[in-house]
Amino acid sequence: MGKFILKVPDMSCKHCVMRITKALEELGEKKFEVKLESKTVEIETENLENVKAKLSEIDYPIESVESL
């Protein structure tokens, strides 16, 4: 399992945060925090590719990934 910071530049409001949170919960992810101020998602996951694909699917593509 890895910890990552995902940069999500298209996140702009609380509605975006709710959509991203719902999508991650649908994937079964539990350890994550969506941060509107920095437009990032801090997540601990085994399925980074699934997370990236899901966020792209709901129109929040990842700009960059940083490992923690």
Side-chain angles (χ1 to χ4, degrees), residues 7-12 15-16 19-20 23 51-63:
K7 182 75 172 162
V8 187
D10 294 339
M11 188 188 325
S12 61
H15 180 257
C16 300
R19 285 191 67 204
I20 291 169
V51 168
K52 288 166 63 176
K54 182 69 170 182
L55 292 183
S56 252
E57 183 182 305
I58 63 166
D59 298 321
Y60 293 99
I62 304 301
E63 179 180 89

Side-chain angles (χ1 to χ4, degrees), residues 2-32:
K3 287 185 176 184
F4 306 95
I5 297 177
L6 312 177
K7 182 75 172 162
V8 187
D10 294 339
M11 188 188 325
S12 61
C13 65
K14 292 192 186 299
H15 180 257
C16 300
V17 172
M18 290 188 319
R19 285 191 67 204
I20 291 169
T21 298
K22 183 174 185 260
L24 294 174
E25 288 172 344
E26 285 174 3
L27 286 178
E29 298 295 340
K30 293 177 176 43
K31 295 184 177 184
F32 65 87

Side-chain angles (χ1 to χ4, degrees), residues 39-67:
K39 298 186 178 191
T40 59
V41 177
E42 288 186 20
I43 188 165
E44 189 172 330
T45 183
E46 292 178 355
N47 298 305
L48 181 60
E49 292 307 313
N50 288 352
V51 168
K52 288 166 63 176
K54 182 69 170 182
L55 292 183
S56 252
E57 183 182 305
I58 63 166
D59 298 321
Y60 293 99
I62 304 301
E63 179 180 89
S64 64
V65 177
E66 180 183 329
S67 294

